[in-house]
Amino acid sequence: MSGPDATRAKRYGTKLLLAGLVATLLLPGARAADDIADPAHLAGAIATAKVMLGDLLLVGSIGQTDADSALDYYARVAAQTPPGAIIVVMPPASFIQSPSKGRPDPDRASALYAEALTAGQTDALLRLGDLYSDGKAIGADLPKAFDYYQRAAAAGSVTAELRVGEMLALGQGVVQDVAHGRAIVGDIAKQDNVAALQLLGDLLTRSDAGPVDAKSAIAAYERAAALGQTDSLVRLGNLFYDGVLVPTDNDRAFGYYQQAMNAGSDSGTIRVGELLLRGLGVAADPSRGLELVNSIAATGNPDAFNVLGDIYSGVMKTSITVDLAKSFADYSSAAAKGSDAGKLRVGEMLVRAEGVARDRPHGLQMMTEVAQHGDAKAYLELGNILTDVTLPQTDAPAAVIAYQHAAALGASDALLHLGDLLSDGKMLPAKLADAYGYYQKAMATGSETAKIRVGEMKALGQGTDKQFDDGIAIVQEVADTGSQSALMMLGDLLIGPGAAIPDVARAMDAYEKAGKLGNADGWLRLGDLYRDGKLVPADGQKAASYYLKAADATVPIPVAELPP
């Protein structure tokens, strides 16, 4: 043997010799703080090393040759160490000799975790649960993940116990039990466990994990932040920046982000940069904002590259000049760092030929790979791009499958898209009963658009028995919230062919309210009524006045000023 192999063998032989010297120099039965004293302890130490080796293989931080050498060393230590001796087991990172990293090998990592588990290494249970829950390295299997987490929790893992609570609350891999799941997480949070406090906040802000409680979520996040959890500061900023569960407060959002940045949070720094770029919650300073985001991107942070991609693509509205080629490069950098969001945008830009030559097959493949990780947004975007008629090619049947996956993963918008695809008959033969069913499901999630569709189809008897008055009542409920779409639909239904007796006055009232909210079509409908003279006496002057209002319909009138 010569060359690198001989050198490697010499190194590993030396390590084994050193281990043997420790066994010789220390008396049988003696203990050292970091050493192993008997065969059972030795087996446990080697099992721990295999878990660590699995971790390295999972992310490609060790090559196959070096991994083989580590396993060979552990096998020789196990075989050659005399019973009762004290032995030092070298960690797998000690065997990394190759200058370049290997490729991620989730299958081999999973096998090592399983081997470690048979030797009693309970950390392996947590690793296996993570593998089967996120679905990125291997195919997701949520029931199997839940089982591993339960076993790890029974073995004393607090982290696994939190995973069990989360999956129960969300109904992932197990029948949903919101109360039990939240109780598990809440009990651990009461012990000032920062991970539990943050998870509790997350669950309290998710509508698919039970009733939303923004006030309690804020309290949990603030407690976690007070205990040093900077990610909770970012979550607090997001709550007030997004303005979905609490009123938008950009000043308060910026304050939380700034605290996170000052505590060393990359996410906080990125967010501060975003707000500086957009002038939200702070005076606009695009150059400083871009500098902050670039500073985090320089460390290889994929989130920063994604934000840069958003800036240069125009997705994020800033004063920075749009540069699609730069945007594609930034998203590509994020994708290369393992970001699914980056991969999704790269795939979309390849299909759309934005900043790069069109490559539809490769783009769709990238989007599909992200979606198959269990990403509802990716399935939704895949369906959208497959039905985009501005592109050279569409594929409505494949879009239906993508939307169905997205809906199964909780994306209510996908239900709406399915209803639209199956009701308008443009890309697929109309299946009105199926469309009505999808709209009903979307309405049950709180979609006002779906509620309008359900009311319309019920009033017209499309896909369901005709019940005109019931359908009108459904649309009226949405119209009463100030929805322009509902007001327009209400007017159209009241004087349309489905109405036994046209209710012109009520329809005109709906159109006028829509017009005063800034909807030009409301004024146009009124103009048409007076121009045609079929449902009201013809009046050219009134028609012209309404058409002029339609042309000027730019500033909506507050709902409070609308006629009763």
Side-chain angles (χ1 to χ4, degrees), residues 201-220:
D202 293 346
L203 293 176
L204 291 169
T205 56
R206 293 186 59 163
S207 59
D208 58 349
V212 170
D213 185 347
K215 183 178 179 180
S216 296
I218 290 170

Side-chain angles (χ1 to χ4, degrees), residues 386-401:
L386 288 169
T387 53
D388 189 339
V389 295
T390 67
L391 295 174
Q393 188 175 348
T394 61
D395 189 343
V400 168
I401 295 172

Side-chain angles (χ1 to χ4, degrees), residues 435-447:
Y436 182 75
Y438 283 123
Y439 286 139
Q440 279 190 311
K441 290 179 181 178
M443 182 177 77
T445 69
S447 168

